[in-house]
Amino acid sequence: MASAAIPANQSPKTNYLTNGYSLKSWLLTTDHKRIAILYLISITLFFFLGGFFAMLIRLELLTPQGDLMHADTYNKVFTMHGIIMVFFFLIPVVPAVLGNFLVPLMIGAKDLAFPRINLLSWYLYIIAGVLFLHCMLVGGVDTGWTFYPPFSTSASNTNVIEAGLAVFIAGFSSIFTGLNFIVTIHRMRAPGLTWNRLPLFIWANYATSVIMILGTPVVAITIILVAAERTLHLGIFDPKLGGDPLLFQHLFWFYSHPAVYIMILPSMGVISELIACFARKRIFGYNFVALSSIALAVFGFLVWAHHMFVSGMSLYAAMVFSFLSFSVGVPSAVKVFNWTATLYRGSISYATPMLYAFGFIGLFTIGGLTGLFLATLGIDVHVTDTYFVVAHFHYVMVGGVLMGFLGGMHFWWPKISGRMYPEAWAKLSALFVFVGFNLTFFPQFILGYVGMPRRYWQYPHEFQVLNVLSTAGASVLAVGYLLPMIYFLWSLRYGPIAEANPWNAAGLEWKAASPPTTFNFDETPVVTWEAYNYDEIDAKPQEVPVGR
Amino acid sequence: MSEHATSRGFYVALGISLLVLTAVTVGAAFVNLGPFNPVIALLIATIKATLVVLFFMHVKGASEKMTAAVVISGFFFLAILLVLSMADYLTRAWR
């Protein structure tokens, strides 16, 4: 096996972190790695803000009576939580942080295809974020993250247009990231890095980018139409003005269902990397896992109306959408089965990233299977707008995305920071996250099934035990999320220096120094090996990797 | 240089024609054509979109297959949106 002359196992004197210390050098950078760090900081801030609103929700639901806040305030609180978490955390987090950092490194490129557009996408994200913060400070919005009319266009007296504008701008940030990834992956792969040799993280980000580009404009236009109806009283969605509220739901979910795959697909890409590395095996059925990402991107666009089964839509169309919704289970199952098949006879080690990968498989499987309940017309009618739905989408979106993101952050932290994190604390944190998450959201399946509706700030006394369990779980979960932030920051100063490849992992990013230099590679690497060639890597004598 | 100037003039003219078509759309909205009002509006919008795709997005004259793939996939996903939404609208029992 030939490999390129790449400076590995050397900590360069100047890397992307030390290449300029001024604020200007960060705010005007076009280095994809620095932009990833800018995203990491800003997205983390939004995550904790969204988490703050989640905490308020769980505190209110600790007792049956509405004693912490007024009903109107509760409406605003869950809306803020939803909008922040969906548009400012879940959608951008893995592509904008890990994707921005890793896509060029993984394909042997010096940067993304359009570095300035990459920086612009971060500024758009910040502008959108600041706009939304302003909206929040001047009274907030109470439509739910779904902005359903006619409430959003004629009844709500909160800051709907400003919140919608923030989401609109954040959407363009997302489009720019997707555009950059697609062009980069097509045009800037290292010689020899054919499509069949691409890391599955790249395949996943490619599929995600397709959804970002094709779906995001639709929700952007829909939000403009909401603003037009609200301000100019055009009859688009409001039946009183001659509009059709279901038209909004069709347009909104045409984007917002595939948006779930924008969130989860990059995370799935992370999991493929983790499982291959910590099972020391090539991913079982590589081609199927790669193409299942594309299949999810396409199938994800065919199922949106399962969010509308009780809306009054056509029963015949509902049956078609129900059938199509089941089809999404196929590529999802391909991934889960192939990951578990990869584990078979693998040399498994239980480093922290692998714990998160295991957590992902467990949570995503529960989330995915309960999705089939919701795709079934009869059951969906029973559980629509109950806590069953809340539990389901948290298992998929939060369980899936955060497990993938945290697993990825631990895996690539040595590459990002040049330091190792404390393994024992990290394992403890992974345990807290997994236990806390299940304690928070599993009771909500039961609550929903026995009839507790979502978006209510009061509930009957018989639901209290499960709600107390859920709030207790949220406290454990919060500790699990806070710990990594603390020890990652700690490790920046006190963590052991990381080698170029502490996990002895496959992939071009591990051939660059830790942290990488500004242009990643001194010479463009030439790839002559297949993806995940762990049999070849382990056949060679290696030093014992750190942290395993 | 002259070629650049010509192309700039062409794009300015194209931009102006888009604005004119916008004005025509607004004007047509004030004429009562019954069920043909939305038809006219959509027809003008389609012409505008075609001009933008062909010229501003440089699809006309593009030789790469990738360009064709991008355009076709864009229309394919638009078709999914329209066809599946219409599957609801055209089969509602209560209409």
Side-chain angles (χ1 to χ4, degrees):
Chain A
M1 186 187 81
S3 66
I6 301 164
N9 295 320
Q10 294 169 17
S11 188
K13 285 175 185 166
T14 304
N15 57 55
Y16 84 97
L17 289 171
T18 57
N19 187 20
Y21 294 94
S22 66
L23 190 63
K24 185 181 165 191
S25 75
W26 279 91
L27 294 180
L28 294 181
T29 183
T30 50
D31 181 345
H32 65 102
K33 299 176 292 296
R34 284 194 163 205
I35 294 170
I37 299 296
L38 293 175
Y39 263 118
L40 175 64
I41 295 166
S42 40
I43 286 177
T44 303
L45 291 175
F46 274 102
F47 173 67
F48 282 105
L49 185 62
F52 169 74
F53 286 114
M55 188 189 73
L56 290 180
I57 293 170
R58 288 316 321 164
L59 280 176
E60 174 58 69
L61 295 178
L62 194 58
T63 56
Q65 61 276 14
D67 41 15
L68 186 66
M69 62 189 91
H70 191 265
D72 288 337
T73 312
Y74 185 79
N75 289 345
K76 289 180 182 174
V77 166
F78 73 69
T79 301
M80 298 298 187
H81 168 70
I83 291 177
I84 290 171
M85 287 304 203
V86 170
F87 295 108
F88 294 96
F89 176 69
L90 290 169
I91 285 177
V93 65
V94 181
V97 178
L98 293 176
N100 257 330
F101 196 93
L102 291 165
V103 166
L105 278 164
M106 281 183 160
I107 64 170
K110 288 184 165 63
D111 206 319
L112 286 170
F114 307 117
R116 290 190 183 88
I117 288 182
N118 197 21
L119 181 64
L120 176 62
S121 85
W122 179 72
Y123 274 104
L124 286 177
Y125 174 85
I126 292 298
I127 291 168
V130 168
L131 199 61
F132 190 75
L133 287 178
H134 178 261
C135 161
M136 191 181 84
L137 292 172
V138 297
V141 61
D142 66 349
T143 58
W145 77 276
T146 48
F147 294 103
Y148 269 19
F151 182 71
S152 63
T153 55
S154 57
S156 174
N157 57 2
T158 56
N159 306 297
V160 178
I161 292 179
E162 195 176 7
L165 187 61
V167 171
F168 180 87
I169 296 171
F172 275 89
S173 162
S174 184
I175 291 170
F176 285 164
T177 300
L179 180 74
N180 232 332
F181 283 2
I182 286 181
V183 177
T184 305
I185 294 167
H186 270 279
R187 294 296 211 186
M188 297 174 69
R189 301 192 311 276
L193 189 60
T194 60
W195 285 87
N196 287 335
R197 287 175 174 170
L198 280 178
L200 289 163
F201 181 75
I202 298 293
W203 273 101
N205 273 284
Y206 183 81
T208 306
S209 303
V210 170
I211 307 174
M212 284 171 164
I213 290 180
L214 291 172
T216 314
V218 177
V219 80
I221 292 163
T222 310
I223 288 168
I224 288 177
L225 292 176
V226 166
E229 182 165 291
R230 196 173 162 85
T231 51
L232 305 173
H233 305 291
L234 300 177
I236 302 163
F237 303 127
D238 189 345
K240 199 169 61 186
L241 300 170
D244 183 344
L246 295 199
L247 176 62
F248 174 87
Q249 295 186 28
H250 277 300
L251 294 172
F252 179 81
W253 290 114
F254 181 78
Y255 164 78
S256 294
H257 189 79
V260 174
Y261 302 103
I262 294 179
M263 303 170 200
I264 196 85
L265 270 170
S267 223
M268 288 169 156
V270 171
I271 300 306
S272 295
E273 302 297 322
L274 302 185
I275 286 180
C277 177
F278 293 102
R280 312 303 299 169
K281 275 180 72 184
R282 179 176 162 85
I283 287 283
F284 180 82
Y286 166 92
N287 290 326
F288 282 91
V289 178
L291 293 176
S292 67
S293 292
I294 305 296
L296 277 173
V298 176
F299 289 4
F301 276 103
L302 304 175
V303 302
W304 75 84
H306 65 227
H307 296 268
M308 302 165 56
F309 283 160
V310 300
S311 67
M313 69 178 286
S314 151
L315 182 62
Y316 306 105
M319 285 192 285
V320 172
F321 276 107
S322 173
F323 174 77
L324 290 171
S325 298
F326 278 94
S327 69
V328 178
V330 177
S332 305
V334 165
K335 285 189 185 295
V336 172
F337 286 135
N338 284 23
W339 288 329
T340 46
T342 306
L343 296 174
Y344 178 66
R345 304 192 73 174
S347 176
I348 298 170
S349 55
Y350 297 94
T352 306
M354 190 59 156
L355 297 184
Y356 279 107
F358 284 137
F360 177 99
I361 293 176
L363 300 184
F364 178 72
T365 301
I366 295 174
L369 288 176
T370 50
L372 297 180
F373 289 38
L374 296 167
T376 311
L377 272 173
I379 296 179
D380 186 76
V381 170
H382 177 69
V383 295
T384 286
D385 277 344
T386 69
Y387 261 86
F388 190 91
V389 177
V390 176
H392 156 71
F393 72 69
H394 278 87
Y395 263 86
V396 174
M397 286 158 49
V398 186
V401 176
L402 268 165
M403 284 293 183
F405 178 63
L406 287 173
M409 280 301 293
H410 285 84
F411 186 54
W412 284 293
W413 185 251
K415 185 59 58 187
I416 293 170
S417 69
R419 301 277 183 162
M420 296 304 294
Y421 57 82
E423 185 68 15
W425 280 103
K427 284 182 173 170
L428 184 68
S429 146
L431 183 70
F432 272 33
V433 169
F434 187 75
V435 172
F437 185 89
N438 282 294
L439 194 57
T440 307
F441 293 106
F442 202 85
Q444 296 183 7
F445 277 125
I446 305 168
L447 279 169
Y449 201 76
V450 296
M452 178 166 166
R454 64 190 291 202
R455 296 177 166 171
Y456 278 53
W457 91 123
Q458 288 179 322
Y459 55 84
H461 283 275
E462 54 264 38
F463 294 152
Q464 187 172 14
V465 172
L466 289 168
N467 270 299
V468 169
L469 272 179
S470 187
T471 300
S475 313
V476 179
L477 192 56
V479 175
Y481 289 151
L482 276 169
L483 274 175
M485 197 180 73
I486 295 167
Y487 61 69
F488 278 150
L489 287 174
W490 174 90
S491 77
L492 287 177
R493 190 173 180 87
Y494 302 107
I497 301 287
E499 301 166 38
N501 189 358
W503 312 114
N504 201 16
L508 283 177
E509 77 272 28
W510 299 107
K511 294 185 183 297
S514 294
T517 55
T518 297
F519 294 110
N520 301 337
F521 304 100
D522 289 347
E523 293 175 31
T524 302
V526 177
V527 180
T528 56
W529 56 90
E530 299 302 316
Y532 311 112
N533 56 336
Y534 282 103
D535 48 348
E536 293 176 39
I537 292 171
D538 290 344
K540 291 191 295 185
Q542 297 284 346
E543 55 195 77
V544 178
V546 176
R548 289 187 59 220
Chain B
M1 182 65 194
S2 63
E3 187 185 337
H4 180 70
T6 310
S7 70
R8 182 181 290 177
F10 174 73
Y11 287 121
V12 169
L14 202 59
I16 292 170
S17 65
L18 289 173
L19 290 172
V20 170
L21 284 170
T22 305
V24 174
T25 309
V26 174
F30 288 100
V31 183
N32 188 2
L33 299 170
F36 291 103
N37 273 108
V39 175
I40 295 289
L42 284 171
L43 191 68
I44 297 170
T46 307
I47 292 169
K48 287 168 67 182
T50 308
L51 290 175
V52 170
V53 170
L54 287 179
F55 298 108
F56 280 120
M57 297 173 80
H58 302 289
V59 168
K60 185 174 166 53
S63 57
E64 287 198 39
K65 287 179 182 170
M66 193 62 201
T67 309
V70 169
V71 173
I72 290 168
S73 54
F75 280 105
F76 175 71
F77 279 86
L78 180 65
I80 290 174
L81 173 64
L82 296 178
V83 169
L84 287 178
S85 297
M86 290 310 285
D88 169 28
Y89 281 93
L90 298 178
T91 60
R92 283 181 191 170
W94 48 268
R95 282 178 76 91

